[in-house]
Amino acid sequence: MKRMIIFCMLFFCSSMMLTAASSRPVKYKEILKTIEQLKTIVKDKDAELLHTPEIPVEGCLYTAVTCFKKGTQKLKPVSSQENTQFKKYIRLINKFTCGDPIEQCESTCESYEKKTPKEFLKGFANLMQ
């Protein structure tokens, strides 16, 4: 009887841990895949230029990721037909977390060069790799 109770408790605890793990932060590979898919439907002509971090200095990774996340909010789809899929990709990127800033970064988003949306996404993909 004790074994059965212990087994049931173990089963319950492990199933609870699996459910909790499903709300995990978005992984790098998922972000890379999403960025590649966004590249095909993002409006590049007559679009707003975006601050694009290229090679963030040591300790500025959090700031660079934050800049990219802010920049994705300014992206627009090529056509209204892709709008639903586009919004899904943007939501997925917004779920991405990079952790907390370890140290204070001196550079801001505005200090990076402005580039076209496709170059912006290429820079984001390079950072995620």
Side-chain angles (χ1 to χ4, degrees):
M1 185 68 171
K2 284 184 180 180
R3 287 185 183 179
M4 185 61 139
I5 293 172
I6 291 173
F7 175 76
C8 288
M9 287 178 63
L10 181 64
F11 179 76
F12 176 75
C13 289
S14 62
S15 65
M16 291 302 288
M17 288 177 60
L18 286 174
T19 345
S22 66
S23 64
R24 64 177 170 52
V26 179
K27 300 240 182 200
Y28 292 105
K29 286 183 181 181
E30 289 178 83
I31 290 294
L32 275 172
K33 183 179 167 187
T34 302
I35 291 169
E36 292 305 317
Q37 292 167 331
L38 259 177
K39 280 183 189 178
T40 62
I41 62 172
V42 74
K43 182 179 180 180
D44 202 41
K45 293 184 179 178
D46 300 326
E48 179 181 352
L49 296 176
L50 305 164
H51 295 283
T52 307
E54 289 181 329
I55 304 170
V57 292
E58 190 70 32
C60 289
L61 180 64
Y62 179 82
T63 304
V65 171
T66 303
C67 291
F68 279 117
K69 286 175 70 173
K70 285 180 185 176
T72 56
Q73 298 302 311
K74 297 176 183 177
L75 295 174
K76 304 279 184 244
V78 151
S79 70
S80 59
Q81 295 169 338
E82 282 107 0
N83 203 28
T84 308
Q85 195 67 27
F86 183 81
K87 286 180 181 179
K88 178 183 167 190
Y89 295 147
I90 298 299
R91 272 194 308 270
L92 189 64
I93 287 175
N94 284 335
K95 289 181 183 178
F96 177 68
T97 56
C98 184
D100 295 325
I102 298 170
E103 53 190 69
Q104 189 66 23
C105 183
E106 304 223 353
S107 59
T108 63
C109 292
E110 291 74 28
S111 66
Y112 296 110
E113 183 183 346
K114 284 188 168 189
K115 296 191 177 183
T116 65
K118 288 198 178 186
E119 290 173 333
F120 170 83
L121 289 171
K122 184 179 178 185
F124 194 7
N126 288 340
L127 182 68
M128 290 297 104
Q129 289 175 347

